Amino acid sequence: DTGVSQNPRHKITKRGQNVTFRCDPISEHNRLYWYRQTLGQGPEFLTYFQNEAQLEKSRLLSDRFSAERPKGSFSTLEIQRTEQGDSAMYLCASSLEFGSSGRRDTQYFGPGTRLTVL
Amino acid sequence: AQSVAQPEDQVNVAEGNPLTVKCTYSVSGNPYLFWYVQYPNRGLQFLLKYITGDNLVKGSYGFEAEFNKSQTSFHLKKPSALVSDSALYFCAAASNTGKLIFGQGTTLQVKP
């Protein structure tokens, strides 16, 4: 496994700007998850995809947030009209299908994208 | 609502001593439980998980965790702590759709 990769690693933006993050999962993984982590807290679920289908979205994911996973490979998370409260680490994770035995349902995380909104 | 609690913000232990990082959970159905470790400015690294079977689960770097259904706990343990074990540890439970619900994290400080 080459691991989950995320780009960029850091993003500084001004309030009101749009930002887009990319996640490349482990190649054979069909599930892809996005989480947000603020300082001193555990990660919070945002949304997940199985292949190209977005199957669940958290109420944390306001209308300003949108995620895609075209062709079931990489995923993008876009935040429109950023606010200072959006400053956080955005984590991506991937796994094989949930509910299987062994290692198949373990989520493996990327290094994260740290967003700072000024 | 499903939840995971880590009652200690920080655990301090001397190198060579055993360590325990506590976790309790509240989930419906059979729990899928995980431990992850996070080093500064890094993503989460998988340590171990409980799905079913033996209550004592062995994982990476000499860590193990004990599942206790009656106490709804999944404490992380290591017989002999290393300074390099100092990091932020997260307990998580998987919902029935697979998303992870995390505790607030426990900082482990191992002193030489």
mmCIF file with all atom_site columns, all heavy atoms in Angstrom, chain B residues 4 23-27 30-35 46 48-51 67-68 72-74 91-94 100:
data_model
loop_
_atom_site.group_PDB
_atom_site.id
_atom_site.type_symbol
_atom_site.label_atom_id
_atom_site.label_alt_id
_atom_site.label_comp_id
_atom_site.label_asym_id
_atom_site.label_entity_id
_atom_site.label_seq_id
_atom_site.pdbx_PDB_ins_code
_atom_site.Cartn_x
_atom_site.Cartn_y
_atom_site.Cartn_z
_atom_site.occupancy
_atom_site.B_iso_or_equiv
_atom_site.pdbx_formal_charge
_atom_site.auth_seq_id
_atom_site.auth_comp_id
_atom_site.auth_asym_id
_atom_site.auth_atom_id
_atom_site.pdbx_PDB_model_num
ATOM 1   N N   . VAL B 1 4   ? -18.224 7.931  22.451 1.00 0.00 ? 4   VAL B N   1
ATOM 2   C CA  . VAL B 1 4   ? -17.003 7.358  22.992 1.00 0.00 ? 4   VAL B CA  1
ATOM 3   C C   . VAL B 1 4   ? -16.427 8.373  23.962 1.00 0.00 ? 4   VAL B C   1
ATOM 4   O O   . VAL B 1 4   ? -16.361 9.568  23.652 1.00 0.00 ? 4   VAL B O   1
ATOM 5   C CB  . VAL B 1 4   ? -15.991 7.059  21.868 1.00 0.00 ? 4   VAL B CB  1
ATOM 6   C CG1 . VAL B 1 4   ? -14.654 6.623  22.436 1.00 0.00 ? 4   VAL B CG1 1
ATOM 7   C CG2 . VAL B 1 4   ? -16.552 6.006  20.920 1.00 0.00 ? 4   VAL B CG2 1
ATOM 8   N N   . CYS B 1 23  ? -10.895 4.037  27.887 1.00 0.00 ? 23  CYS B N   1
ATOM 9   C CA  . CYS B 1 23  ? -11.920 4.356  26.894 1.00 0.00 ? 23  CYS B CA  1
ATOM 10  C C   . CYS B 1 23  ? -13.197 3.623  27.260 1.00 0.00 ? 23  CYS B C   1
ATOM 11  O O   . CYS B 1 23  ? -13.159 2.427  27.580 1.00 0.00 ? 23  CYS B O   1
ATOM 12  C CB  . CYS B 1 23  ? -11.458 3.929  25.504 1.00 0.00 ? 23  CYS B CB  1
ATOM 13  S SG  . CYS B 1 23  ? -12.726 4.037  24.215 1.00 0.00 ? 23  CYS B SG  1
ATOM 14  N N   . THR B 1 24  ? -14.308 4.328  27.233 1.00 0.00 ? 24  THR B N   1
ATOM 15  C CA  . THR B 1 24  ? -15.609 3.691  27.375 1.00 0.00 ? 24  THR B CA  1
ATOM 16  C C   . THR B 1 24  ? -16.467 4.078  26.183 1.00 0.00 ? 24  THR B C   1
ATOM 17  O O   . THR B 1 24  ? -16.263 5.119  25.564 1.00 0.00 ? 24  THR B O   1
ATOM 18  C CB  . THR B 1 24  ? -16.317 4.092  28.679 1.00 0.00 ? 24  THR B CB  1
ATOM 19  O OG1 . THR B 1 24  ? -16.481 5.510  28.701 1.00 0.00 ? 24  THR B OG1 1
ATOM 20  C CG2 . THR B 1 24  ? -15.519 3.644  29.895 1.00 0.00 ? 24  THR B CG2 1
ATOM 21  N N   . TYR B 1 25  ? -17.422 3.249  25.861 1.00 0.00 ? 25  TYR B N   1
ATOM 22  C CA  . TYR B 1 25  ? -18.209 3.476  24.655 1.00 0.00 ? 25  TYR B CA  1
ATOM 23  C C   . TYR B 1 25  ? -19.689 3.253  24.926 1.00 0.00 ? 25  TYR B C   1
ATOM 24  O O   . TYR B 1 25  ? -20.072 2.564  25.882 1.00 0.00 ? 25  TYR B O   1
ATOM 25  C CB  . TYR B 1 25  ? -17.743 2.530  23.535 1.00 0.00 ? 25  TYR B CB  1
ATOM 26  C CG  . TYR B 1 25  ? -17.996 1.080  23.850 1.00 0.00 ? 25  TYR B CG  1
ATOM 27  C CD1 . TYR B 1 25  ? -19.190 0.456  23.488 1.00 0.00 ? 25  TYR B CD1 1
ATOM 28  C CD2 . TYR B 1 25  ? -17.048 0.323  24.536 1.00 0.00 ? 25  TYR B CD2 1
ATOM 29  C CE1 . TYR B 1 25  ? -19.431 -0.871 23.803 1.00 0.00 ? 25  TYR B CE1 1
ATOM 30  C CE2 . TYR B 1 25  ? -17.280 -0.997 24.860 1.00 0.00 ? 25  TYR B CE2 1
ATOM 31  C CZ  . TYR B 1 25  ? -18.476 -1.594 24.496 1.00 0.00 ? 25  TYR B CZ  1
ATOM 32  O OH  . TYR B 1 25  ? -18.707 -2.909 24.807 1.00 0.00 ? 25  TYR B OH  1
ATOM 33  N N   . SER B 1 26  ? -20.487 3.837  24.074 1.00 0.00 ? 26  SER B N   1
ATOM 34  C CA  . SER B 1 26  ? -21.925 3.616  24.096 1.00 0.00 ? 26  SER B CA  1
ATOM 35  C C   . SER B 1 26  ? -22.375 3.496  22.644 1.00 0.00 ? 26  SER B C   1
ATOM 36  O O   . SER B 1 26  ? -22.456 4.491  21.920 1.00 0.00 ? 26  SER B O   1
ATOM 37  C CB  . SER B 1 26  ? -22.644 4.787  24.777 1.00 0.00 ? 26  SER B CB  1
ATOM 38  O OG  . SER B 1 26  ? -24.041 4.641  24.668 1.00 0.00 ? 26  SER B OG  1
ATOM 39  N N   . VAL B 1 27  ? -22.567 2.267  22.201 1.00 0.00 ? 27  VAL B N   1
ATOM 40  C CA  . VAL B 1 27  ? -22.996 2.016  20.827 1.00 0.00 ? 27  VAL B CA  1
ATOM 41  C C   . VAL B 1 27  ? -24.079 0.961  20.839 1.00 0.00 ? 27  VAL B C   1
ATOM 42  O O   . VAL B 1 27  ? -24.149 0.134  21.743 1.00 0.00 ? 27  VAL B O   1
ATOM 43  C CB  . VAL B 1 27  ? -21.828 1.547  19.925 1.00 0.00 ? 27  VAL B CB  1
ATOM 44  C CG1 . VAL B 1 27  ? -20.735 2.595  19.877 1.00 0.00 ? 27  VAL B CG1 1
ATOM 45  C CG2 . VAL B 1 27  ? -21.263 0.228  20.382 1.00 0.00 ? 27  VAL B CG2 1
ATOM 46  N N   . ASN B 1 30  ? -23.401 -4.831 18.166 1.00 0.00 ? 30  ASN B N   1
ATOM 47  C CA  . ASN B 1 30  ? -22.040 -5.295 18.457 1.00 0.00 ? 30  ASN B CA  1
ATOM 48  C C   . ASN B 1 30  ? -21.043 -4.197 18.119 1.00 0.00 ? 30  ASN B C   1
ATOM 49  O O   . ASN B 1 30  ? -21.047 -3.655 17.015 1.00 0.00 ? 30  ASN B O   1
ATOM 50  C CB  . ASN B 1 30  ? -21.719 -6.544 17.645 1.00 0.00 ? 30  ASN B CB  1
ATOM 51  C CG  . ASN B 1 30  ? -22.563 -7.723 18.074 1.00 0.00 ? 30  ASN B CG  1
ATOM 52  O OD1 . ASN B 1 30  ? -22.857 -7.886 19.253 1.00 0.00 ? 30  ASN B OD1 1
ATOM 53  N ND2 . ASN B 1 30  ? -22.971 -8.526 17.115 1.00 0.00 ? 30  ASN B ND2 1
ATOM 54  N N   . PRO B 1 31  ? -20.179 -3.860 19.056 1.00 0.00 ? 31  PRO B N   1
ATOM 55  C CA  . PRO B 1 31  ? -19.264 -2.739 18.811 1.00 0.00 ? 31  PRO B CA  1
ATOM 56  C C   . PRO B 1 31  ? -18.061 -3.136 17.962 1.00 0.00 ? 31  PRO B C   1
ATOM 57  O O   . PRO B 1 31  ? -17.524 -4.227 18.102 1.00 0.00 ? 31  PRO B O   1
ATOM 58  C CB  . PRO B 1 31  ? -18.810 -2.349 20.217 1.00 0.00 ? 31  PRO B CB  1
ATOM 59  C CG  . PRO B 1 31  ? -18.885 -3.625 20.989 1.00 0.00 ? 31  PRO B CG  1
ATOM 60  C CD  . PRO B 1 31  ? -20.027 -4.417 20.411 1.00 0.00 ? 31  PRO B CD  1
ATOM 61  N N   . TYR B 1 32  ? -17.680 -2.239 17.044 1.00 0.00 ? 32  TYR B N   1
ATOM 62  C CA  . TYR B 1 32  ? -16.400 -2.305 16.358 1.00 0.00 ? 32  TYR B CA  1
ATOM 63  C C   . TYR B 1 32  ? -15.579 -1.168 16.977 1.00 0.00 ? 32  TYR B C   1
ATOM 64  O O   . TYR B 1 32  ? -15.949 -0.005 16.855 1.00 0.00 ? 32  TYR B O   1
ATOM 65  C CB  . TYR B 1 32  ? -16.553 -2.037 14.859 1.00 0.00 ? 32  TYR B CB  1
ATOM 66  C CG  . TYR B 1 32  ? -17.071 -3.185 14.026 1.00 0.00 ? 32  TYR B CG  1
ATOM 67  C CD1 . TYR B 1 32  ? -18.188 -3.911 14.401 1.00 0.00 ? 32  TYR B CD1 1
ATOM 68  C CD2 . TYR B 1 32  ? -16.446 -3.528 12.839 1.00 0.00 ? 32  TYR B CD2 1
ATOM 69  C CE1 . TYR B 1 32  ? -18.664 -4.947 13.616 1.00 0.00 ? 32  TYR B CE1 1
ATOM 70  C CE2 . TYR B 1 32  ? -16.908 -4.563 12.039 1.00 0.00 ? 32  TYR B CE2 1
ATOM 71  C CZ  . TYR B 1 32  ? -18.028 -5.260 12.439 1.00 0.00 ? 32  TYR B CZ  1
ATOM 72  O OH  . TYR B 1 32  ? -18.485 -6.287 11.652 1.00 0.00 ? 32  TYR B OH  1
ATOM 73  N N   . LEU B 1 33  ? -14.486 -1.497 17.647 1.00 0.00 ? 33  LEU B N   1
ATOM 74  C CA  . LEU B 1 33  ? -13.724 -0.506 18.411 1.00 0.00 ? 33  LEU B CA  1
ATOM 75  C C   . LEU B 1 33  ? -12.295 -0.424 17.911 1.00 0.00 ? 33  LEU B C   1
ATOM 76  O O   . LEU B 1 33  ? -11.697 -1.449 17.550 1.00 0.00 ? 33  LEU B O   1
ATOM 77  C CB  . LEU B 1 33  ? -13.748 -0.877 19.895 1.00 0.00 ? 33  LEU B CB  1
ATOM 78  C CG  . LEU B 1 33  ? -15.139 -0.948 20.525 1.00 0.00 ? 33  LEU B CG  1
ATOM 79  C CD1 . LEU B 1 33  ? -15.071 -1.614 21.890 1.00 0.00 ? 33  LEU B CD1 1
ATOM 80  C CD2 . LEU B 1 33  ? -15.749 0.443  20.641 1.00 0.00 ? 33  LEU B CD2 1
ATOM 81  N N   . PHE B 1 34  ? -11.751 0.776  17.927 1.00 0.00 ? 34  PHE B N   1
ATOM 82  C CA  . PHE B 1 34  ? -10.435 1.036  17.357 1.00 0.00 ? 34  PHE B CA  1
ATOM 83  C C   . PHE B 1 34  ? -9.619  1.934  18.289 1.00 0.00 ? 34  PHE B C   1
ATOM 84  O O   . PHE B 1 34  ? -10.173 2.743  19.033 1.00 0.00 ? 34  PHE B O   1
ATOM 85  C CB  . PHE B 1 34  ? -10.554 1.763  16.009 1.00 0.00 ? 34  PHE B CB  1
ATOM 86  C CG  . PHE B 1 34  ? -11.328 1.015  14.960 1.00 0.00 ? 34  PHE B CG  1
ATOM 87  C CD1 . PHE B 1 34  ? -12.707 0.996  14.978 1.00 0.00 ? 34  PHE B CD1 1
ATOM 88  C CD2 . PHE B 1 34  ? -10.655 0.332  13.958 1.00 0.00 ? 34  PHE B CD2 1
ATOM 89  C CE1 . PHE B 1 34  ? -13.431 0.300  14.005 1.00 0.00 ? 34  PHE B CE1 1
ATOM 90  C CE2 . PHE B 1 34  ? -11.365 -0.357 12.980 1.00 0.00 ? 34  PHE B CE2 1
ATOM 91  C CZ  . PHE B 1 34  ? -12.750 -0.372 13.002 1.00 0.00 ? 34  PHE B CZ  1
ATOM 92  N N   . TRP B 1 35  ? -8.303  1.793  18.187 1.00 0.00 ? 35  TRP B N   1
ATOM 93  C CA  . TRP B 1 35  ? -7.376  2.748  18.762 1.00 0.00 ? 35  TRP B CA  1
ATOM 94  C C   . TRP B 1 35  ? -6.462  3.264  17.659 1.00 0.00 ? 35  TRP B C   1
ATOM 95  O O   . TRP B 1 35  ? -5.935  2.484  16.844 1.00 0.00 ? 35  TRP B O   1
ATOM 96  C CB  . TRP B 1 35  ? -6.525  2.122  19.872 1.00 0.00 ? 35  TRP B CB  1
ATOM 97  C CG  . TRP B 1 35  ? -7.187  2.099  21.219 1.00 0.00 ? 35  TRP B CG  1
ATOM 98  C CD1 . TRP B 1 35  ? -7.811  1.048  21.825 1.00 0.00 ? 35  TRP B CD1 1
ATOM 99  C CD2 . TRP B 1 35  ? -7.284  3.191  22.134 1.00 0.00 ? 35  TRP B CD2 1
ATOM 100 N NE1 . TRP B 1 35  ? -8.297  1.423  23.045 1.00 0.00 ? 35  TRP B NE1 1
ATOM 101 C CE2 . TRP B 1 35  ? -7.983  2.727  23.272 1.00 0.00 ? 35  TRP B CE2 1
ATOM 102 C CE3 . TRP B 1 35  ? -6.842  4.521  22.122 1.00 0.00 ? 35  TRP B CE3 1
ATOM 103 C CZ2 . TRP B 1 35  ? -8.248  3.539  24.375 1.00 0.00 ? 35  TRP B CZ2 1
ATOM 104 C CZ3 . TRP B 1 35  ? -7.098  5.329  23.215 1.00 0.00 ? 35  TRP B CZ3 1
ATOM 105 C CH2 . TRP B 1 35  ? -7.796  4.836  24.325 1.00 0.00 ? 35  TRP B CH2 1
ATOM 106 N N   . PHE B 1 46  ? -3.276  3.716  12.677 1.00 0.00 ? 46  PHE B N   1
ATOM 107 C CA  . PHE B 1 46  ? -4.044  2.608  13.255 1.00 0.00 ? 46  PHE B CA  1
ATOM 108 C C   . PHE B 1 46  ? -3.150  1.785  14.169 1.00 0.00 ? 46  PHE B C   1
ATOM 109 O O   . PHE B 1 46  ? -2.033  1.419  13.822 1.00 0.00 ? 46  PHE B O   1
ATOM 110 C CB  . PHE B 1 46  ? -4.588  1.748  12.118 1.00 0.00 ? 46  PHE B CB  1
ATOM 111 C CG  . PHE B 1 46  ? -5.164  0.434  12.541 1.00 0.00 ? 46  PHE B CG  1
ATOM 112 C CD1 . PHE B 1 46  ? -6.366  0.377  13.214 1.00 0.00 ? 46  PHE B CD1 1
ATOM 113 C CD2 . PHE B 1 46  ? -4.507  -0.747 12.246 1.00 0.00 ? 46  PHE B CD2 1
ATOM 114 C CE1 . PHE B 1 46  ? -6.912  -0.838 13.597 1.00 0.00 ? 46  PHE B CE1 1
ATOM 115 C CE2 . PHE B 1 46  ? -5.039  -1.968 12.619 1.00 0.00 ? 46  PHE B CE2 1
ATOM 116 C CZ  . PHE B 1 46  ? -6.249  -2.018 13.293 1.00 0.00 ? 46  PHE B CZ  1
ATOM 117 N N   . LEU B 1 48  ? -4.852  -0.812 16.645 1.00 0.00 ? 48  LEU B N   1
ATOM 118 C CA  . LEU B 1 48  ? -5.515  -2.108 16.808 1.00 0.00 ? 48  LEU B CA  1
ATOM 119 C C   . LEU B 1 48  ? -7.017  -1.918 16.774 1.00 0.00 ? 48  LEU B C   1
ATOM 120 O O   . LEU B 1 48  ? -7.519  -0.792 16.841 1.00 0.00 ? 48  LEU B O   1
ATOM 121 C CB  . LEU B 1 48  ? -5.083  -2.768 18.130 1.00 0.00 ? 48  LEU B CB  1
ATOM 122 C CG  . LEU B 1 48  ? -5.198  -1.961 19.414 1.00 0.00 ? 48  LEU B CG  1
ATOM 123 C CD1 . LEU B 1 48  ? -6.608  -1.903 19.943 1.00 0.00 ? 48  LEU B CD1 1
ATOM 124 C CD2 . LEU B 1 48  ? -4.276  -2.551 20.493 1.00 0.00 ? 48  LEU B CD2 1
ATOM 125 N N   . LYS B 1 49  ? -7.726  -3.051 16.679 1.00 0.00 ? 49  LYS B N   1
ATOM 126 C CA  . LYS B 1 49  ? -9.177  -2.996 16.682 1.00 0.00 ? 49  LYS B CA  1
ATOM 127 C C   . LYS B 1 49  ? -9.754  -4.251 17.290 1.00 0.00 ? 49  LYS B C   1
ATOM 128 O O   . LYS B 1 49  ? -9.109  -5.311 17.325 1.00 0.00 ? 49  LYS B O   1
ATOM 129 C CB  . LYS B 1 49  ? -9.711  -2.815 15.265 1.00 0.00 ? 49  LYS B CB  1
ATOM 130 C CG  . LYS B 1 49  ? -9.559  -4.037 14.382 1.00 0.00 ? 49  LYS B CG  1
ATOM 131 C CD  . LYS B 1 49  ? -10.140 -3.756 13.001 1.00 0.00 ? 49  LYS B CD  1
ATOM 132 C CE  . LYS B 1 49  ? -9.977  -4.978 12.109 1.00 0.00 ? 49  LYS B CE  1
ATOM 133 N NZ  . LYS B 1 49  ? -10.449 -4.689 10.732 1.00 0.00 ? 49  LYS B NZ  1
ATOM 134 N N   . TYR B 1 50  ? -10.986 -4.104 17.782 1.00 0.00 ? 50  TYR B N   1
ATOM 135 C CA  . TYR B 1 50  ? -11.777 -5.238 18.250 1.00 0.00 ? 50  TYR B CA  1
ATOM 136 C C   . TYR B 1 50  ? -13.008 -5.350 17.371 1.00 0.00 ? 50  TYR B C   1
ATOM 137 O O   . TYR B 1 50  ? -13.758 -4.390 17.203 1.00 0.00 ? 50  TYR B O   1
ATOM 138 C CB  . TYR B 1 50  ? -12.205 -5.043 19.710 1.00 0.00 ? 50  TYR B CB  1
ATOM 139 C CG  . TYR B 1 50  ? -13.174 -6.103 20.148 1.00 0.00 ? 50  TYR B CG  1
ATOM 140 C CD1 . TYR B 1 50  ? -12.718 -7.346 20.587 1.00 0.00 ? 50  TYR B CD1 1
ATOM 141 C CD2 . TYR B 1 50  ? -14.546 -5.888 20.092 1.00 0.00 ? 50  TYR B CD2 1
ATOM 142 C CE1 . TYR B 1 50  ? -13.606 -8.335 20.965 1.00 0.00 ? 50  TYR B CE1 1
ATOM 143 C CE2 . TYR B 1 50  ? -15.435 -6.871 20.460 1.00 0.00 ? 50  TYR B CE2 1
ATOM 144 C CZ  . TYR B 1 50  ? -14.961 -8.093 20.896 1.00 0.00 ? 50  TYR B CZ  1
ATOM 145 O OH  . TYR B 1 50  ? -15.847 -9.072 21.252 1.00 0.00 ? 50  TYR B OH  1
ATOM 146 N N   . ILE B 1 51  ? -13.196 -6.551 16.822 1.00 0.00 ? 51  ILE B N   1
ATOM 147 C CA  . ILE B 1 51  ? -14.408 -6.821 16.049 1.00 0.00 ? 51  ILE B CA  1
ATOM 148 C C   . ILE B 1 51  ? -15.223 -7.884 16.766 1.00 0.00 ? 51  ILE B C   1
ATOM 149 O O   . ILE B 1 51  ? -16.393 -7.707 17.076 1.00 0.00 ? 51  ILE B O   1
ATOM 150 C CB  . ILE B 1 51  ? -14.069 -7.286 14.619 1.00 0.00 ? 51  ILE B CB  1
ATOM 151 C CG1 . ILE B 1 51  ? -13.208 -6.238 13.905 1.00 0.00 ? 51  ILE B CG1 1
ATOM 152 C CG2 . ILE B 1 51  ? -15.331 -7.566 13.820 1.00 0.00 ? 51  ILE B CG2 1
ATOM 153 C CD1 . ILE B 1 51  ? -13.893 -4.909 13.721 1.00 0.00 ? 51  ILE B CD1 1
ATOM 154 N N   . PHE B 1 67  ? -11.103 -5.601 25.765 1.00 0.00 ? 67  PHE B N   1
ATOM 155 C CA  . PHE B 1 67  ? -12.533 -5.332 25.572 1.00 0.00 ? 67  PHE B CA  1
ATOM 156 C C   . PHE B 1 67  ? -13.294 -5.913 26.750 1.00 0.00 ? 67  PHE B C   1
ATOM 157 O O   . PHE B 1 67  ? -13.137 -7.088 27.093 1.00 0.00 ? 67  PHE B O   1
ATOM 158 C CB  . PHE B 1 67  ? -13.013 -5.959 24.272 1.00 0.00 ? 67  PHE B CB  1
ATOM 159 C CG  . PHE B 1 67  ? -14.508 -5.905 24.081 1.00 0.00 ? 67  PHE B CG  1
ATOM 160 C CD1 . PHE B 1 67  ? -15.146 -4.711 23.839 1.00 0.00 ? 67  PHE B CD1 1
ATOM 161 C CD2 . PHE B 1 67  ? -15.267 -7.072 24.129 1.00 0.00 ? 67  PHE B CD2 1
ATOM 162 C CE1 . PHE B 1 67  ? -16.523 -4.661 23.662 1.00 0.00 ? 67  PHE B CE1 1
ATOM 163 C CE2 . PHE B 1 67  ? -16.636 -7.041 23.950 1.00 0.00 ? 67  PHE B CE2 1
ATOM 164 C CZ  . PHE B 1 67  ? -17.270 -5.830 23.711 1.00 0.00 ? 67  PHE B CZ  1
ATOM 165 N N   . ASN B 1 68  ? -14.148 -5.092 27.376 1.00 0.00 ? 68  ASN B N   1
ATOM 166 C CA  . ASN B 1 68  ? -14.964 -5.551 28.492 1.00 0.00 ? 68  ASN B CA  1
ATOM 167 C C   . ASN B 1 68  ? -16.404 -5.144 28.214 1.00 0.00 ? 68  ASN B C   1
ATOM 168 O O   . ASN B 1 68  ? -16.766 -3.969 28.340 1.00 0.00 ? 68  ASN B O   1
ATOM 169 C CB  . ASN B 1 68  ? -14.463 -4.948 29.801 1.00 0.00 ? 68  ASN B CB  1
ATOM 170 C CG  . ASN B 1 68  ? -15.164 -5.526 31.015 1.00 0.00 ? 68  ASN B CG  1
ATOM 171 O OD1 . ASN B 1 68  ? -16.381 -5.688 31.019 1.00 0.00 ? 68  ASN B OD1 1
ATOM 172 N ND2 . ASN B 1 68  ? -14.403 -5.848 32.045 1.00 0.00 ? 68  ASN B ND2 1
ATOM 173 N N   . THR B 1 72  ? -18.501 -1.873 29.274 1.00 0.00 ? 72  THR B N   1
ATOM 174 C CA  . THR B 1 72  ? -18.455 -1.099 28.012 1.00 0.00 ? 72  THR B CA  1
ATOM 175 C C   . THR B 1 72  ? -17.155 -0.305 27.907 1.00 0.00 ? 72  THR B C   1
ATOM 176 O O   . THR B 1 72  ? -17.154 0.912  27.663 1.00 0.00 ? 72  THR B O   1
ATOM 177 C CB  . THR B 1 72  ? -19.680 -0.156 27.846 1.00 0.00 ? 72  THR B CB  1
ATOM 178 O OG1 . THR B 1 72  ? -19.706 0.792  28.916 1.00 0.00 ? 72  THR B OG1 1
ATOM 179 C CG2 . THR B 1 72  ? -20.960 -0.950 27.811 1.00 0.00 ? 72  THR B CG2 1
ATOM 180 N N   . SER B 1 73  ? -16.059 -1.020 28.105 1.00 0.00 ? 73  SER B N   1
ATOM 181 C CA  . SER B 1 73  ? -14.752 -0.360 28.067 1.00 0.00 ? 73  SER B CA  1
ATOM 182 C C   . SER B 1 73  ? -13.838 -1.055 27.075 1.00 0.00 ? 73  SER B C   1
ATOM 183 O O   . SER B 1 73  ? -14.027 -2.234 26.725 1.00 0.00 ? 73  SER B O   1
ATOM 184 C CB  . SER B 1 73  ? -14.107 -0.361 29.454 1.00 0.00 ? 73  SER B CB  1
ATOM 185 O OG  . SER B 1 73  ? -13.788 -1.670 29.863 1.00 0.00 ? 73  SER B OG  1
ATOM 186 N N   . PHE B 1 74  ? -12.839 -0.298 26.631 1.00 0.00 ? 74  PHE B N   1
ATOM 187 C CA  . PHE B 1 74  ? -11.852 -0.810 25.668 1.00 0.00 ? 74  PHE B CA  1
ATOM 188 C C   . PHE B 1 74  ? -10.547 -0.073 25.960 1.00 0.00 ? 74  PHE B C   1
ATOM 189 O O   . PHE B 1 74  ? -10.117 0.787  25.227 1.00 0.00 ? 74  PHE B O   1
ATOM 190 C CB  . PHE B 1 74  ? -12.339 -0.552 24.240 1.00 0.00 ? 74  PHE B CB  1
ATOM 191 C CG  . PHE B 1 74  ? -11.505 -1.208 23.165 1.00 0.00 ? 74  PHE B CG  1
ATOM 192 C CD1 . PHE B 1 74  ? -11.241 -2.573 23.186 1.00 0.00 ? 74  PHE B CD1 1
ATOM 193 C CD2 . PHE B 1 74  ? -10.999 -0.466 22.099 1.00 0.00 ? 74  PHE B CD2 1
ATOM 194 C CE1 . PHE B 1 74  ? -10.495 -3.179 22.187 1.00 0.00 ? 74  PHE B CE1 1
ATOM 195 C CE2 . PHE B 1 74  ? -10.253 -1.065 21.091 1.00 0.00 ? 74  PHE B CE2 1
ATOM 196 C CZ  . PHE B 1 74  ? -10.005 -2.418 21.143 1.00 0.00 ? 74  PHE B CZ  1
ATOM 197 N N   . CYS B 1 91  ? -9.501  6.752  20.909 1.00 0.00 ? 91  CYS B N   1
ATOM 198 C CA  . CYS B 1 91  ? -10.359 5.591  20.859 1.00 0.00 ? 91  CYS B CA  1
ATOM 199 C C   . CYS B 1 91  ? -11.527 5.927  19.937 1.00 0.00 ? 91  CYS B C   1
ATOM 200 O O   . CYS B 1 91  ? -11.975 7.087  19.893 1.00 0.00 ? 91  CYS B O   1
ATOM 201 C CB  . CYS B 1 91  ? -10.861 5.279  22.270 1.00 0.00 ? 91  CYS B CB  1
ATOM 202 S SG  . CYS B 1 91  ? -11.941 3.854  22.415 1.00 0.00 ? 91  CYS B SG  1
ATOM 203 N N   . ALA B 1 92  ? -12.007 4.958  19.171 1.00 0.00 ? 92  ALA B N   1
ATOM 204 C CA  . ALA B 1 92  ? -13.108 5.223  18.247 1.00 0.00 ? 92  ALA B CA  1
ATOM 205 C C   . ALA B 1 92  ? -14.000 4.004  18.152 1.00 0.00 ? 92  ALA B C   1
ATOM 206 O O   . ALA B 1 92  ? -13.545 2.858  18.304 1.00 0.00 ? 92  ALA B O   1
ATOM 207 C CB  . ALA B 1 92  ? -12.577 5.598  16.861 1.00 0.00 ? 92  ALA B CB  1
ATOM 208 N N   . ALA B 1 93  ? -15.256 4.261  17.868 1.00 0.00 ? 93  ALA B N   1
ATOM 209 C CA  . ALA B 1 93  ? -16.219 3.201  17.615 1.00 0.00 ? 93  ALA B CA  1
ATOM 210 C C   . ALA B 1 93  ? -16.808 3.418  16.240 1.00 0.00 ? 93  ALA B C   1
ATOM 211 O O   . ALA B 1 93  ? -17.024 4.553  15.814 1.00 0.00 ? 93  ALA B O   1
ATOM 212 C CB  . ALA B 1 93  ? -17.323 3.223  18.665 1.00 0.00 ? 93  ALA B CB  1
ATOM 213 N N   . ALA B 1 94  ? -17.066 2.334  15.541 1.00 0.00 ? 94  ALA B N   1
ATOM 214 C CA  . ALA B 1 94  ? -17.673 2.437  14.219 1.00 0.00 ? 94  ALA B CA  1
ATOM 215 C C   . ALA B 1 94  ? -19.179 2.346  14.352 1.00 0.00 ? 94  ALA B C   1
ATOM 216 O O   . ALA B 1 94  ? -19.701 1.461  15.039 1.00 0.00 ? 94  ALA B O   1
ATOM 217 C CB  . ALA B 1 94  ? -17.147 1.341  13.308 1.00 0.00 ? 94  ALA B CB  1
ATOM 218 N N   . LEU B 1 100 ? -16.523 6.546  11.835 1.00 0.00 ? 100 LEU B N   1
ATOM 219 C CA  . LEU B 1 100 ? -15.927 6.433  13.160 1.00 0.00 ? 100 LEU B CA  1
ATOM 220 C C   . LEU B 1 100 ? -16.388 7.576  14.060 1.00 0.00 ? 100 LEU B C   1
ATOM 221 O O   . LEU B 1 100 ? -16.457 8.729  13.637 1.00 0.00 ? 100 LEU B O   1
ATOM 222 C CB  . LEU B 1 100 ? -14.404 6.438  13.065 1.00 0.00 ? 100 LEU B CB  1
ATOM 223 C CG  . LEU B 1 100 ? -13.783 5.224  12.385 1.00 0.00 ? 100 LEU B CG  1
ATOM 224 C CD1 . LEU B 1 100 ? -12.269 5.378  12.278 1.00 0.00 ? 100 LEU B CD1 1
ATOM 225 C CD2 . LEU B 1 100 ? -14.134 3.949  13.132 1.00 0.00 ? 100 LEU B CD2 1
#
